[in-house]
Amino acid sequence: MAEPTIALEIFRYHPEQGEAPSFRRYEIPYREDWVVLDGINYIKDQIDGTLAYRWSCRMGVCGSCGMMINGTPRLSCAAFLREYFPNPVRVEPLAHFPVERDLVIVMDDFMHKLREVKPWLIRGQETPLSEGEYRQTPAEVDEYKQYSMCINCMLCYAACPVYGLEPRFLGPAAIALAQRYNLDSRDEGRRERQEVLNTEEGIWDCTLVGECTTACPVHVDPAGSIQRAKVTATVDWYKDVLLPWGKR
Amino acid sequence: MNPWQNTNSAADQMHEMLEHDILVIGGGAAGLRAAIAAVQTNPRLNVAIVSKVYPMRSHTVSAEGGAAAVIKSNDSLEEHINDTITGSDWLADQDVVEAFVREAPDELLQLEHWGCPWSREPDGSIAVRPFGGMTIERTWFAADKVGFHLLHTLFQTSLKFESLTRYDEWFATKLLVENGRCQGVSAIELRTGEVRLLLAKAVILCTGGAGRIYPFTTNGAIKTGDGMAMAYRAGVPLKDMEFVQYHPTGLPGTGILITEAARGEGGILVNKDGYRYLQDYGMGPPDPWPRLRAMELGPRDKISQAFVHEMRKGRTIAGPYGDVVHLDVRHLGETKIDTKIPFVRELAHRYAGIDPVHEPIPVRPVVHYMMGGVHTDINGATPIAGLYAAGESACVSINGANRLGSNSLTECLVFGARAGRHAAAFAAHHRSLDRAALAAQARDEAKRVAGLDGTDGGTERIAMLRTEMTRAMEEGTGIYRDEGSLSKACDVLRTLRDRFARIRLDDRTRSFNTELIAALELECMLDVAEAVAHSALARTESRGSHQRTDHPKRDDARFLKHTLAYSTDGAPRIDYLDVVITRWPPAERVYGR
Amino acid sequence: MGEAVSRPYRRTMPATWWLTNRAYFLFMVRELTSVFIAIYLVLLLVLISKVAAGREAYEAYLTFLGTPAVLAFHVLALAAALYHSITWFNLAPKGLVVRVRERRVPDAIIAGSNYLAWIAVSALLWWVVL
Amino acid sequence: MRHSSEPIWWSLFAAGGVVAALVAPVQIALTGIAAALGWADDAFTHARVLALVSHPISRLYLFVLISLPLFHSAHRFRFTLIDLGLKQGRGLVAVLCYGAAVAGTILAALVLIRL
Ligand SMILES: Cc1cc2nc3c(=O)[nH]c(=O)nc-3n(C[C@H](O)[C@H](O)[C@H](O)COP(=O)(O)OP(=O)(O)OC[C@H]3O[C@@H](n4cnc5c(N)ncnc54)[C@H](O)[C@@H]3O)c2cc1C
Ligand code: SF4
Ligand code: F3S
Ligand code: FES
């Protein structure tokens, strides 16, 4: 009896039941070493099989388990119950995205934007494999490495009010990924990506709220990537205007 | 009200058939590589990837340590072949291993050309690290998030091919075989809950492993052996299923993996007395520096087995989640830890509450990888025409009785690409489809799925069955097994199968019904688990990861053979197939010299 | 029944979103410092024009600046300007990557040098004017 | 290449932000507080201030001090309005905000030249 418990208040929405969303409260056992996701799995297995959510790796790398936990976007497999105990924990789907059901959001928009920024290596000339690897020094790897760490968890989108207000905004992760390739010494596609970045809904909608960087579980620093993209776009612009005939 | 009951509407949905030239089931490393190979082989082919999760969520993402291929001048193909065959305890097909080792460097270079951020030497060339069971450093790495970088590089590269379609969050439930040819699958579109028919001239299964049949595993929730089960039900044998790899260093409780790279970089394993116990199991000498193919850099089967012996001797450390030993990396120093294995530090800190820079990491063996899988030939072709398999779900036979760390990511690439190319050729020459018959099959499948929810008086809760299954597997088919434990596991699995027929779901709706998906996954796992237990029961010898206490010796006379498990109405039928031996006759497996 | 359903639920942001959490609120404060700075600049421009207009106009304007309301505004504006400076310097490293011998200069050093410059410039101006 | 006009406005914003961050506090303290309260009376006599301000370097400095931060403010204010939900009149908001900054810049130039 003395076993401690903790309450999870979970956002429920079901399209077929057509009702407005509501919160349901579940009392679950409290364990020191449980993450919020463990609690949710407990509910699914023992109490209510109808709860829908995404998860897989439960080690913070697949990026599928993002949720709003007490109003903050977190990976539910990296948020420990002990951070909240003994208070109840409120769990909602990631902010700013449409909700498919319960904690499952619709991520079409992000998938579309990801593709928009051409996140692949663009080369004028493909070198045959027989010539070996493209050389890249550790310092050159460092140049883009941080931006290559994005797990597409979209916590940054849920943290960014600008995205909440303007869904057309390209958003932090997509821009960070564009920068990841722009800054890769093997890549030659910066000008191509600039067509997408250097637009109002691209980098210019960002007002440097900076919450994307705070939310990012793997320290990508999307805010920084956007700032750098703005600087580059500006330098490009002045070059284009001032040296319209010159080498760009 | 039960939306599934209305079979007419299920039939109506079938009017819309989605048709492609090639369907790849699975968006992990193998699936993406296969899909890209297929479109590159023939850009006119219309290729689609069906995946139950968005591709970048595939479990390839969690691979940490690296991918093996010969690139350095001090290395040779011969050595890599030799290591792989020795590691496999001579159960790998040697022609396949040769092809694998030969094609591996180009596959990893191709990844490099697609942008993979491989770690580098100061001169800008690819850096390699040592790995267990390998004579020479040949494991390419991108710090310790190799699977993550590999998967995202492949996924992002796949976005540039216009002719690639994706069905993300579609759960394949059945292979549709007609006229002896696999011509498509039926799949549930999670968002709407519709059962849809997807037609194709060739299908490539890349659905990954099945570690979730065990309670304590490094595998993510999605690794439930679906593709293995689908192929098995369609009549394809599952090969070498008794060989289940335990990774020696998982975090207790969660089973989160501490990569072998931690040992590759110089980490040591010690028991409760701080003693490097591996030297007692024929793996010494305990040099203070990492010695290749010895001690902590021995193969995973041997190291995991040594743990069990230490535990029996009472020399392990008791912990809240069972006994552990210590993986000590403190002597590497903070700088090396942060540049070479930063993720290890992060995981240990987050999930074990310790900082490896200052404290040793508690670890214990954990189920990690299925050596077995869907039986294929060297090109990924299964015995059913038009059906291919690659990656962890397949068994092309490079891993035999024990896989060497860092061979499997490379395997996904090499054989993913091979399967993709061969499926493309097949699809170009077999254009006809038996549409009406396939539609009828898919209708039946929709009905079957609809009947699963237990509205007709089911009582069994799937979480309960799942727990009992994993317990049976752990108790009966663990690191050490014997006839008694295995027969018991077989019996329990049989009763679980009967009980599965009486499950009851809380969720009777359609949109994103994850409980229904969990039930289908459980059904797949039960099939796979049975294949594992029965194959293990029949193999009365010890080899690699399959250790029978009642038959402790390797028996080449009777068992230099692959096990083939065929699905029947009752227990699986077990058959055997000779191992292909070319230039490397079976010998004793020697490590530590 | 039986028809497939996908009817996503859309949430909207209330106009008061920036009051819903501390970080958003501080962001809004940061953005609004610009209003104080703009008003100050206008007052400064008037001051200069009064200097041009002659001693009397100038002195009358100084008296105006000394009224409590205007003084209060300037105190607030000073606080706003300080907040702007601090947030600006802290964020400055974001857009700027400086490398010395292949190694990226840590953000703290970039921000730190900004602060030093700030102190130097302020001291210089103070000394010139007073 | 398609040109967005944002780089101009953003570069003015950024430059203005730097200027404001570096000198706005001390400027406000000097003219809004020290001068207004009559600290150091001899420093703020008309003659001295006129002399100080008329120096070409001072004029240039003042021009930069007023103009660039005005663009900074205009840019931030524009986006604050959008953030507060004024999405419809985006174009008009931009014209008004930057228009004000341009007007302020011209005025400042006139005042400083005529000094
Ligand atoms: C923690 C960990 C670390 C590892 N580290 C290494 C390492 O360092 N080096 C190494 O070589 N190997 C490593 N491995 C092994 C290696 O990562 C895997 O064997 C490999 O990634 C498997 O890739 P795959 O493409 O076959 O399957 P997965 O990546 O598992 O992909 C399976 C795909 O199939 C899809 N799928 C499954 N079922 C269905 C269905 N019913 N319908 C539709 N789609 C379905 C899934 O959505 C997914 O996209 C590691 C494994 C783990 C678990
Ligand atoms: S940038 Fe960070 S928060 Fe955003 S999607 Fe990537 S990993 Fe997640
Ligand atoms: S939170 Fe949003 S406004 Fe910019 S800095 Fe990050 S994208
Ligand atoms: S479950 Fe994979 S990131 Fe949380």
Side-chain angles (χ1 to χ4, degrees), chain B residues 273-323:
Chain B
D273 309 316
Y275 174 71
R276 290 174 72 187
Y277 58 91
L278 292 177
Q279 57 190 290
D280 294 357
Y281 303 96
M283 298 174 70
D287 299 321
W289 61 87
R291 178 199 275 259
L292 293 158
R293 263 177 65 136
M295 292 298 287
E296 286 82 3
L297 291 179
R300 291 174 180 176
D301 53 345
K302 302 234 174 220
I303 301 180
S304 294
Q305 288 151 19
F307 173 89
V308 178
H309 290 295
E310 279 298 290
M311 190 164 71
R312 293 200 178 133
K313 290 182 196 159
R315 300 203 301 199
T316 47
I317 304 147
Y321 294 98
D323 280 30

Side-chain angles (χ1 to χ4, degrees), chain A residues 14 16 33 44-45 49 54 56 58 62 77 101 108 115 119 132-134 136 151-152 180-181 186, chain B residues 57 112-113 115 120 124 126 156 159 169 191 217 221 254 321 351 461 466 506-507 509-511 514:
Chain A
H14 201 293
E16 281 156 70
D33 53 2
K44 175 102 184 161
D45 286 350
R54 295 186 176 106
S56 174
R58 54 90 179 84
C62 76
C77 69
R101 172 180 174 177
D108 297 355
R115 182 167 191 182
E133 69 266 44
Y134 300 136
Q136 190 166 57
I151 61 175
N152 300 357
R180 174 250 174 274
Y181 284 95
R186 298 167 289 183
Chain B
R57 316 295 189 215
E112 195 278 331
H113 277 40
R120 305 285 178 152
I126 296 292
Q156 290 168 4
L159 295 175
E169 301 196 320
R191 182 174 294 185
T217 173
T254 55
Y321 294 98
Y351 295 102
R461 220 185 151 74
R466 197 165 51 213
D506 293 345
D507 195 345
T509 63
R510 302 182 60 168
S511 172
T514 48

Side-chain angles (χ1 to χ4, degrees), chain A residues 11-12 66-68 91-99 101-105, chain C residues 11:
Chain A
F11 178 101
R12 301 300 307 264
M67 300 170 190
M68 302 302 286
V91 185
E92 293 164 87
L94 283 182
H96 309 326
F97 292 96
V99 182
R101 172 180 174 177
D102 297 344
L103 300 170
V104 177
I105 52 134
Chain C
R11 295 163 288 176

Side-chain angles (χ1 to χ4, degrees), chain B residues 178-481:
Chain B
E178 195 62 49
N179 231 338
R181 258 177 61 207
C182 182
Q183 306 185 20
V185 302
S186 70
I188 302 175
E189 180 185 15
L190 259 70
R191 182 174 294 185
T192 60
E194 270 186 74
V195 179
R196 304 285 294 266
L197 169 55
L198 291 152
L199 297 184
K201 283 110 200 168
V203 174
I204 311 175
L205 281 175
C206 301
T207 49
R212 284 271 155 178
I213 57 178
Y214 287 84
F216 186 59
T217 173
T218 61
N219 286 194
I222 57 175
K223 299 198 70 170
T224 51
D226 309 355
M228 295 180 188
M230 280 190 280
Y232 184 56
R233 292 172 198 158
V236 181
L238 296 183
K239 184 161 66 186
D240 292 342
M241 293 301 283
E242 62 273 42
F243 299 100
V244 176
Q245 178 164 78
Y246 277 76
H247 194 293
T249 61
L251 290 182
T254 55
I256 288 171
L257 178 77
I258 298 301
T259 171
E260 191 162 297
R263 282 169 284 135
E265 297 298 341
I268 55 170
L269 284 170
V270 296
N271 65 14
K272 76 175 200 297
D273 309 316
Y275 174 71
R276 290 174 72 187
Y277 58 91
L278 292 177
Q279 57 190 290
D280 294 357
Y281 303 96
M283 298 174 70
D287 299 321
W289 61 87
R291 178 199 275 259
L292 293 158
R293 263 177 65 136
M295 292 298 287
E296 286 82 3
L297 291 179
R300 291 174 180 176
D301 53 345
K302 302 234 174 220
I303 301 180
S304 294
Q305 288 151 19
F307 173 89
V308 178
H309 290 295
E310 279 298 290
M311 190 164 71
R312 293 200 178 133
K313 290 182 196 159
R315 300 203 301 199
T316 47
I317 304 147
Y321 294 98
D323 280 30
V324 298
V325 286
H326 279 156
L327 171 60
D328 197 345
V329 295
R330 288 176 294 183
H331 53 287
L332 303 184
E334 184 161 4
T335 316
K336 185 156 183 191
I337 291 174
D338 282 345
T339 50
K340 293 292 183 59
I341 46 173
F343 195 40
V344 165
R345 188 176 187 188
E346 188 188 320
L347 289 173
H349 183 74
R350 197 187 305 146
Y351 295 102
I354 63 118
D355 182 350
V357 172
H358 304 295
E359 287 160 277
I361 312 169
V363 292
R364 55 173 320 198
V366 52
V367 169
H368 185 56
Y369 182 86
M370 304 292 292
M371 265 70 77
V374 178
H375 172 46
T376 74
D377 69 9
I378 195 168
N379 299 319
T382 71
I384 295 183
L387 179 65
Y388 297 78
E392 195 173 339
S393 63
C395 180
V396 260
S397 262
I398 64 155
N399 300 311
N402 173 63
R403 166 182 78 102
L404 291 189
S406 76
N407 262 356
S408 93
L409 287 174
T410 314
E411 173 187 356
C412 288
L413 300 171
V414 169
F415 294 99
R418 272 185 170 245
R421 287 193 293 268
H422 283 84
F426 184 92
H429 292 108
H430 297 80
R431 318 253 351 136
S432 68
L433 290 171
D434 301 296
R435 290 193 178 72
L438 294 165
Q441 276 202 37
R443 264 197 301 277
D444 291 344
E445 177 64 2
K447 270 187 227 160
R448 185 185 80 88
V449 170
L452 269 181
D453 64 2
T455 23
D456 46 357
T459 50
E460 297 280 359
R461 220 185 151 74
I462 53 172
M464 189 65 151
L465 299 184
R466 197 165 51 213
T467 311
E468 290 185 30
M469 169 192 70
T470 56
R471 193 186 308 134
M473 291 305 284
E474 182 172 54
E475 286 169 2
T477 69
I479 298 180
Y480 284 98
R481 325 139 161 205

Side-chain angles (χ1 to χ4, degrees), chain B residues 113-132:
Chain B
H113 277 40
W114 283 335
C116 188
W118 296 117
S119 293
R120 305 285 178 152
E121 298 290 351
D123 70 352
S125 63
I126 296 292
V128 289
R129 66 161 41 127
F131 237 67

Side-chain angles (χ1 to χ4, degrees), chain A residues 149-156 173 212 215-218 220 222:
Chain A
M149 301 305 281
C150 173
I151 61 175
N152 300 357
C153 65
M154 301 176 300
L155 300 193
C156 51
C212 50
C216 180
V218 289
V220 167

Side-chain angles (χ1 to χ4, degrees), chain A residues 14-87:
Chain A
H14 201 293
E16 281 156 70
Q17 280 139 13
E19 302 149 25
S22 59
F23 280 88
R24 244 195 95 174
R25 192 184 162 96
Y26 301 90
E27 272 310 312
I28 58 161
Y30 168 73
R31 308 256 169 82
E32 248 309 75
D33 53 2
W34 266 14
V35 290
V36 173
L37 179 64
D38 293 324
I40 295 174
N41 280 335
Y42 178 88
I43 295 170
K44 175 102 184 161
D45 286 350
Q46 308 298 333
I47 309 177
D48 183 353
T50 66
L51 182 61
Y53 54 98
R54 295 186 176 106
W55 73 290
S56 174
C57 72
R58 54 90 179 84
M59 58 188 279
V61 62
C62 76
S64 45
C65 70
M67 300 170 190
M68 302 302 286
I69 301 181
N70 281 358
T72 308
R74 303 275 308 263
L75 293 179
S76 55
C77 69
F80 284 86
L81 288 176
R82 60 175 182 256
E83 299 171 43
Y84 307 96
F85 184 76
N87 301 313

